[in-house]
Amino acid sequence: MVIIASTLGYVLSSLAFNPRSNYEGGNPPIPESTITAKLNHLGVNPDVPIVKRYATWVGNVVTGDFGLTIGEKSVNEEFSRRIWVSLRLLLLGSVLGSVLGVALGVFSAVRQYGIGDRASSFASFVLLSMPVFLTAILLKYGAISFNQKIGSTFFYTIGESSADFTGNGMQLFVNRLQHLMLPTLSITLGGIAFYSRYQRNAMLDVLGSDFIRTAKAKGLTNRQSLFRHGLRVAILPMATFFAYSFGLLVTGAPFTETIFAWNGMGQWFITSVQSNDVNAVSAVIVFSAVLVLLSGLLADIAVAALDPRVRLR
Amino acid sequence: MNASSEIGEKRLTRMALVRKRFLRNKLAVAGLVILVAMFVLAFAGPIFGKHKWDSLDFFNLLQPPSKEHFFGTSQIGGDVYALTLRGLQKSLIIGLLVAFFSTGLAAIAGGFAGFYGGKVDRSVMWIIDALLVLPSFLIIAVMSPWFRGRTWLIFVVLLAAFGWMITARIVRSATMSLRERDFVRAALYMGIPARKIVFRHLLPNVASILIIDATLNVGGTILSETGLSYLGFGIQPPDVSLGSLIADGTSSALTYPWLFMFAGAALVLTVLAVSFVGDGLRDAFDPGSAMGKKL
């Protein structure tokens, strides 16, 4: 699978991209031969047959070398730096989003059509209807006008920490936290909205079923029947989503990273596509292919382990 | 969606019941009204505008909303009203087309894979896995330099082709666990052909998943289309989509809010209306839900 995915990724990006455009239109113009030499050096010259380029690329990748970016940096180094940036950004937001989302979903299913359910449903509908970039932009401008109102910078809207920052560990931590808040908030809100919708629907399906009635009939309290019998079944469909979202933590959040200027994996991918960078894009694709596969495996194991009705044949 | 239409043809009483339940849900009806209004606005609205979406008014650059330009003008003098409606048209059409194809594909693929198991299951899962390891966002973004300058229908096909897999997986795991239930086994032993079992017994039981997913797919497609267009990987200039309009407008959002406000509002309202309709349909279809029991 990874082989198919990476082949497809490499071939597609090689065919679709025109790395030459990075060097054309310079003033004074760069000589044709220099550009060709440069592209050969990077291994992305479109005139070399694709099979040959692919063979060279695979040969290097097998030894763990993903080649050079258009800017002549090592893809590997760039990679290992950006993974941590994305992880720092996404871990907190994803955990908060899924836990709070499930809790909210169960709550509003149990109190279906109550005030709490209506309010939270409406809020998550609105949030889900908003593309990530719009939420992030609104948060960003909201934060900027908030900063202007209180007259000092409380929310930082760009980057991971202030570049010119000096101070001890604790102050650095606080500074980083101020940078982290907005992007985390944008990810958490999305997560809560998403999970609570699905959890609410799954829970409602379960609440209407016979075994809950049986549980109540045999004398369990409402709470017991809901949590011991209901939630255990209702949370099953969510296992697939959890596995995927946690597997994909390090592939980054393209929009959030772009808008809040975090140099993570998602933002790297976007700039690489924009600069026709075949090697960098292929590396990101291989990486996400590996992660998606791992999460898929995790999802299957989770479903099989949790649901006694699924039999392994 | 196959499941519901099949039932609709055979047992009209159920459809009437569903319609009755749907119309009782105020939010869902409101969503439907908003959605129809959006369609009317998108396709009939340009008649009332004084400017075409692709014509420029060089004497009015960056003007706030006025009688001449209902939503103001852009940096180069484009009429934001006409541009927004044009973007809305594109986003609506793309959303509907893609959701229809991808959910249908997901139901059929997932339902049969889950019911048959064995070879069918393995081959469907192989295709799903192969497509899933490549996140659609990445692939469509990578292919964007290639379909730049070609028809936007390629974009629709790509969105649909990479959008059905997760739903299919969910449908499959649901059918796998339904397959063990007595009513499916009874149907099987009564000699009902597999195709009928899938469409009449399995898919209706996952209808809540399918309906929610078809709805979220319309919304989700609009969202991913605008997302890709926002980054410049989707609908290409000179044509516009709500995403590219928002992208153009946000650089100066604080000073010139009308540049992205209307496109943003149209986008949120549309997707919101679609989800209300979907939720209303869910409550109407699902006899197990609390609302259904009251009837």
Side-chain angles (χ1 to χ4, degrees):
Chain A
M1 283 299 173
V2 175
I3 297 171
I4 296 170
S6 53
T7 307
L8 205 59
Y10 186 82
V11 171
L12 281 181
S13 54
S14 302
L15 291 179
F17 290 175
N18 178 18
R20 197 177 280 272
S21 64
N22 280 311
Y23 304 100
E24 278 168 350
N27 192 15
I30 306 168
E32 194 76 357
S33 58
T34 316
I35 298 180
T36 310
K38 183 99 175 173
L39 292 179
N40 278 332
H41 173 61
L42 297 174
V44 293
N45 186 353
D47 299 329
V48 177
I50 179 112
V51 180
K52 205 172 159 193
R53 270 185 288 157
Y54 178 66
T56 325
W57 182 74
V58 168
N60 288 333
V61 167
V62 169
T63 60
D65 178 16
F66 282 96
L68 300 170
T69 65
I70 285 285
E72 297 236 22
K73 281 191 210 142
S74 159
V75 170
N76 294 38
E77 278 172 27
E78 195 70 10
F79 210 85
S80 40
R81 189 172 63 77
R82 284 172 183 268
I83 284 179
W84 295 108
V85 176
S86 284
L87 192 63
R88 278 199 292 273
L89 175 63
L90 285 169
L91 189 61
L92 192 61
S94 308
V95 172
L96 278 179
S98 48
V99 172
L100 294 178
V102 167
L104 189 65
V106 170
F107 169 79
S108 47
V110 172
R111 305 222 189 296
Q112 194 189 12
Y113 301 122
I115 293 174
D117 174 39
R118 279 181 199 277
S120 72
S121 292
F122 190 77
S124 47
F125 264 135
V126 173
L127 270 174
L128 280 180
S129 312
M130 245 192 231
V132 186
F133 57 90
L134 200 59
T135 322
I137 288 165
L138 290 180
L139 274 176
K140 190 169 168 173
Y141 289 112
I144 290 177
S145 45
F146 178 79
N147 284 341
Q148 284 168 349
K149 274 224 179 81
I150 63 165
S152 73
T153 314
F154 180 71
F155 291 114
Y156 289 86
T157 53
I158 279 177
E160 209 184 332
S161 62
S162 303
D164 54 349
F165 190 77
T166 48
N168 60 30
M170 195 57 207
Q171 284 163 325
L172 182 67
F173 180 73
V174 170
N175 181 274
R176 276 179 175 262
L177 210 60
Q178 284 176 317
H179 282 86
L180 190 62
M181 257 186 298
L182 284 178
T184 300
L185 195 61
S186 95
I187 291 166
T188 310
L189 284 177
I192 292 179
F194 177 82
Y195 286 117
S196 68
R197 284 321 295 162
Y198 270 92
Q199 184 64 59
R200 177 177 179 274
N201 287 320
M203 194 74 185
L204 282 178
D205 280 346
V206 170
L207 287 183
S209 61
D210 292 339
F211 67 90
I212 291 288
R213 203 188 310 145
T214 313
K216 281 183 192 162
K218 76 179 186 187
L220 292 185
T221 63
N222 220 352
R223 180 180 295 264
Q224 274 176 319
S225 60
L226 286 182
F227 287 94
R228 293 244 312 261
H229 297 266
L231 187 57
R232 269 168 64 179
V233 181
I235 212 154
L236 285 177
M238 310 301 291
T240 318
F241 293 118
F242 288 143
Y244 276 100
S245 77
F246 284 97
L248 295 177
L249 274 185
V250 278
T251 55
F255 294 103
T256 314
E257 284 174 11
T258 307
I259 287 163
F260 292 106
W262 278 57
N263 296 317
M265 294 290 286
Q267 188 255 7
W268 190 34
F269 174 77
I270 287 163
T271 47
S272 302
V273 172
Q274 281 162 348
S275 62
N276 291 297
D277 192 336
V278 176
N279 286 337
V281 165
S282 310
V284 176
I285 288 180
V286 172
F287 180 66
S288 27
V290 172
L291 279 173
V292 172
L293 267 191
L294 288 179
S295 347
L297 192 66
L298 202 66
D300 278 356
I301 293 174
V303 168
L306 292 172
D307 192 347
R309 285 172 302 187
V310 176
R311 307 232 177 98
L312 298 171
R313 286 192 178 167
Chain B
M1 305 312 310
N2 294 300
S4 51
S5 64
E6 184 133 317
I7 289 168
E9 283 156 19
K10 300 222 164 105
R11 283 187 288 168
L12 274 170
T13 45
R14 183 174 145 86
M15 276 316 282
L17 189 66
V18 166
R19 196 176 308 125
K20 199 173 158 193
R21 286 190 193 134
F22 182 83
L23 291 176
R24 280 162 49 124
N25 189 334
K26 286 186 198 104
L27 269 184
V29 175
L32 196 62
V33 170
I34 295 176
L35 204 59
V36 171
M38 281 294 171
F39 266 97
V40 172
L41 182 69
F43 291 96
I47 302 168
F48 304 106
K50 300 202 168 92
H51 298 266
K52 283 212 159 67
W53 68 275
D54 50 357
S55 66
L56 301 177
D57 183 352
F58 296 108
F59 300 102
N60 287 306
L61 305 181
L62 272 180
Q63 292 302 308
S66 62
K67 267 185 189 158
E68 180 73 13
H69 299 278
F70 299 142
F71 291 175
T73 54
S74 70
Q75 291 94 330
I76 52 168
D79 183 49
V80 179
Y81 173 75
L83 283 169
T84 306
L85 296 192
R86 172 77 184 181
L88 188 59
Q89 282 179 13
K90 266 277 135 61
S91 299
L92 282 173
I93 296 174
I94 291 178
L96 284 181
L97 282 179
V98 173
F100 181 75
F101 287 119
S102 65
T103 307
L105 196 58
I108 294 168
F112 279 98
F115 177 72
Y116 278 112
K119 265 185 200 157
V120 180
D121 186 34
R122 270 199 298 278
S123 45
V124 171
M125 284 314 280
W126 193 86
I127 299 172
I128 288 179
D129 284 343
L131 288 175
L132 263 185
V133 286
L134 296 163
S136 63
F137 172 78
L138 298 190
I139 289 306
I140 297 176
V142 165
M143 287 170 84
S144 65
W146 169 73
F147 65 75
R148 194 164 289 159
R150 289 167 211 236
T151 160
W152 56 275
L153 285 171
I154 295 181
F155 187 44
V156 171
V157 172
L158 285 177
L159 280 171
F162 291 107
W164 59 279
M165 296 86 66
I166 301 230
T167 315
R169 261 188 103 110
I170 300 169
V171 172
R172 171 183 168 267
S173 30
T175 33
M176 266 167 76
S177 98
L178 281 175
R179 187 178 63 179
E180 306 285 338
R181 300 270 194 92
D182 291 339
F183 69 93
V184 177
R185 234 178 252 165
L188 201 60
Y189 294 153
M190 280 159 75
I192 294 171
R195 193 176 55 86
K196 259 191 174 167
I197 295 183
V198 172
F199 283 121
R200 286 184 65 175
H201 297 285
L202 293 179
L203 291 184
N205 271 289
V206 294
S208 73
I209 299 175
L210 283 182
I211 290 164
I212 295 163
D213 251 281
T215 318
L216 287 181
N217 266 345
V218 177
T221 306
I222 296 179
L223 291 184
S224 51
E225 176 268 316
T226 47
L228 283 159
S229 302
Y230 175 82
L231 295 169
F233 300 149
I235 296 291
Q236 300 296 337
D239 208 343
V240 291
S241 113
L242 292 179
S244 60
L245 283 176
I246 293 174
D248 292 341
T250 45
S251 49
S252 42
L254 275 184
T255 7
Y256 310 109
W258 63 86
L259 286 183
F260 89 109
M261 211 170 62
F262 294 106
L267 177 58
V268 174
L269 266 181
T270 308
V271 182
L272 196 61
V274 172
S275 358
F276 282 153
V277 173
D279 210 49
L281 279 175
R282 178 206 179 278
D283 288 345
F285 267 117
D286 192 349
S289 71
M291 188 81 171
K293 273 188 188 146
K294 277 187 216 151
L295 278 172

